[in-house]
Amino acid sequence: MPDRPAPRPRGRMFFANPGPTNIPESVLRAIDRATIDFNDPEFVENTYHPARAGLKRVLGTSAELFMYTASGHGAWEASLANLLSPGDVVLIPESGFFSDQWARMAEGLGLSLRKLHADWRRGVDPAAIEAELKADTGHTIKAVCVVHNETSAGVTLPLPDIRAAIDAAKHPALFLTDTISSLACMPFEMDAWGIDCAVGGSQKGLMLPTGFSFTGASAKAMEAHKQAKLPRFYLDWTVMMTRRELRSFVGTVPTSLFYGLQESLRLLEEEGKETVYARHARLAEGVRRCIATWAGANDGPQFYCTDPTRRSNSVTAILMPEGHDAEAVRRIARQRFNVSLGGGLGKLNGKVFRIGHMGDLNEPMLLGTLGAVEMALQLAGVPHRKGGVDAAMEYYSATA
Ligand SMILES: *Cc1c(COP(=O)(O)O)cnc(C)c1O
């Protein structure tokens, strides 16, 4: 027999990464449109403005919204470059790989980084932020940057409590938040929660392809922007505001993504914000029942997040038992069962794998993923208590 390459897996890949996420069929169909001039009044009036207004409703803001043809990193950079000046001190509470990335970016842009150390397995205590700000009597800290949902660790931080901590310290720092993997998955209210700048992206809860990102900016942020001297051009809000009609984007607008956005917003509004959040919470709980079963008497895979009240409703990070490789489990799931899981990022590589449960998902999709993971644990020789998938099914049927 001649050597033949391994056959391509048949059937649909179960895509369980915590971003990018599954794109609904109707969004794919909506994007499938001929090119149009992005200044064409038909596009601007019927797609661009309604989509922009819808996105503001999802963010819970009536403030300014600026958009970029870039992934989430671009909007992160915009949040810093538009609000701060060289040497300004930014306080970044540690939550995991993504808070570290934002911090590295701040340093790279010439800001003075003050990192607030915290355990990645539970994230920062708001009291520690309050103490740090109270100690800063000269108000040298210009911004506090918090990742709402730390996608690398599966930890969600309580933003309203952090806002309360900033207020309790009577500190004027701007409050910047990354809502990239929480928006449209769990409650996020930019205005009601007193957030000055909210950073979001297209390819997670919004169920779109990668390629555009955005920042909401409060009135206080717009004031700070006028004084901010970090160099910028493509991401500059002032440059954007000179585009009278669009008030966003320097350069070409990703029109195809806007057709998709219009449809994803329609889906979200048809389901309703609260229902979308409840669906995410319920699907996540089934995953957690499964993992709690696998954990057994603590010799199986564990929740990476040690605080049950902070376990994320959009992603679960699973810590392997000592001596077992998370990458081996991911490889088996991918090669044998055509299931794509998230890997451990940065220092968590090999130690953690992640199941994304954000966006366009239902019970059977997650049960398929969990079933494949349970088989992969078996094949990789990872100790675990059987019956994880049963526990998830029991929960989903009891709450159907
Ligand atoms: C995905 C993600 C990012 C990075 O976004 P990109 O689109 O990959 O640049 C930043 N923060 C969080 C919390 C994320 O989940």
Side-chain angles (χ1 to χ4, degrees), residues 71-73 76 98 147 149 151 178 180-181 203-204:
S71 82
H73 277 75
W76 257 352
F98 287 106
V147 176
N149 186 70
T151 321
D178 168 338
I180 296 180
S181 65
Q203 80 275 23
K204 301 201 181 173

Side-chain angles (χ1 to χ4, degrees), residues 41-65:
E42 138 72 19
F43 169 75
V44 173
E45 280 158 37
N46 298 334
T47 298
Y48 183 84
H49 284 311
R52 189 167 186 270
L55 194 50
K56 286 171 73 162
R57 285 194 293 277
V58 175
L59 277 164
T61 189
S62 52
E64 294 286 348
L65 177 69

Side-chain angles (χ1 to χ4, degrees), residues 68-136:
Y68 324 93
T69 308
S71 82
H73 277 75
W76 257 352
E77 188 151 333
S79 73
L80 299 174
N82 279 290
L83 293 173
L84 299 159
S85 299
D88 276 356
V89 179
V90 292
L91 180 68
I92 305 194
E94 200 178 352
S95 51
F97 177 82
F98 287 106
S99 69
D100 271 10
Q101 262 314 78
W102 207 1
R104 282 180 61 199
M105 178 182 277
E107 284 190 304
L109 291 173
L111 297 167
S112 170
L113 172 65
R114 191 159 322 157
K115 205 162 160 180
L116 186 54
H117 288 287
D119 179 359
W120 285 21
R121 296 191 68 179
R122 69 175 310 279
V124 72
D125 184 350
I129 297 178
E130 184 180 334
E132 192 76 17
L133 293 176
K134 270 191 176 145
D136 179 40

Side-chain angles (χ1 to χ4, degrees), residues 94-95 122-124 146-149 155-160 162 310:
E94 200 178 352
S95 51
R122 69 175 310 279
V124 72
V146 178
V147 176
H148 184 202
N149 186 70
V155 174
T156 305
L157 293 176
L159 294 183
I162 295 174
R310 289 185 171 188

